[in-house]
């Protein structure tokens, strides 16, 4: 029984690690929300998106989660009229990053809640494991 609870905690830890990586990528997106090119035709920062992958732990047989890839978001760049910017094209427009801070904040909240749910699951498994050990004494 205690072994099953340890596996539950391991599953929760894998979820926490995946969400922590997602938060790192979201932070990177937010930090670069205004990063544009320095020459005409140069692309600005491109938003990154995390994809997850489940896998079976060979030791326990449990299904875990991990970050599969961090891939670029292929959505279009917004063009902003800034004729004096060094990266402006002939028409005076500069390509802006495809980062929407509102979407990043929503993704951050979702990742935070998922992280907290996994942490709660891990704590519950640990508490139940301690209770079993107390009964067996």
């Amino acid at each position: 029984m205690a072994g099953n609870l340890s596996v539950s905690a391991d599953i929760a830890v894998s979820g926490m690690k995946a969400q922590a990586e997602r938060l790192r990528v979201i932070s990177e997106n937010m930090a670069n929300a205004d990063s544009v090119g320095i020459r005409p035709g140069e692309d600005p920062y491109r938003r990154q998106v995390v994809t997850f992958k489940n896998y079976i732990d060979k030791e326990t047989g449990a299904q875990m989660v991990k970050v599969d890839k961090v891939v670029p978001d292929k959505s279009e760049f917004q063009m902003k009229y800034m004729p004096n910017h060094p990266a402006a094209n002939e028409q005076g427009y500069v390509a802006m990053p495809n980062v929407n801070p509102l979407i990043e904040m929503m993704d951050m909240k979702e990742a935070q809640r998922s992280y907290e749910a996994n942490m709660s699951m891990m704590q519950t498994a640990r508490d139940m494991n301690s209770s079993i050990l107390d009964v067996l004494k």
Side-chain angles (χ1 to χ4, degrees):
M1 180 66 166
N4 289 342
L5 294 174
S6 292
V7 172
S8 296
D10 292 343
I11 294 168
V13 167
S14 77
M16 290 169 62
K17 286 179 182 178
Q19 293 303 329
E21 177 67 12
R22 183 178 178 203
L23 282 170
R24 185 197 64 77
V25 171
I26 292 168
S27 297
E28 190 176 293
N29 289 340
M30 288 293 287
N32 287 289
D34 294 318
S35 298
V36 297
I38 56 172
R39 289 181 278 292
E42 199 171 85
D43 281 344
Y45 175 80
R46 186 171 288 280
R47 177 178 186 252
Q48 303 294 305
V49 181
V50 174
T51 61
F52 298 109
K53 176 181 179 179
N54 69 318
Y55 69 98
I56 297 180
D57 182 59
K58 292 176 182 157
E59 195 173 304
T60 63
Q63 288 202 30
M64 307 282 201
V65 65
K66 67 179 178 179
V67 171
D68 183 30
K69 296 181 231 171
V70 178
V71 296
D73 179 349
K74 298 292 185 182
S75 63
E76 295 291 320
F77 296 124
Q78 295 286 324
M79 299 301 285
K80 185 175 182 181
Y81 186 68
M82 298 169 55
N84 295 328
H85 194 281
N89 62 17
E90 299 83 36
Q91 294 82 27
Y93 287 92
V94 176
M96 300 300 290
N98 59 348
V99 176
N100 182 334
L102 182 59
I103 290 173
E104 299 302 323
M105 293 299 289
M106 290 174 15
D107 285 351
M108 181 200 62
K109 276 300 203 188
E110 183 182 325
Q112 177 186 6
R113 288 186 180 121
S114 183
Y115 185 94
E116 289 170 352
N118 280 298
M119 187 182 301
S120 179
M121 185 69 221
M122 186 179 70
Q123 185 63 45
T124 299
R126 198 182 310 160
D127 292 346
M128 290 173 69
N129 205 10
S130 293
S131 296
I132 289 171
L133 293 175
D134 288 344
V135 169
L136 294 175
K137 286 182 183 178

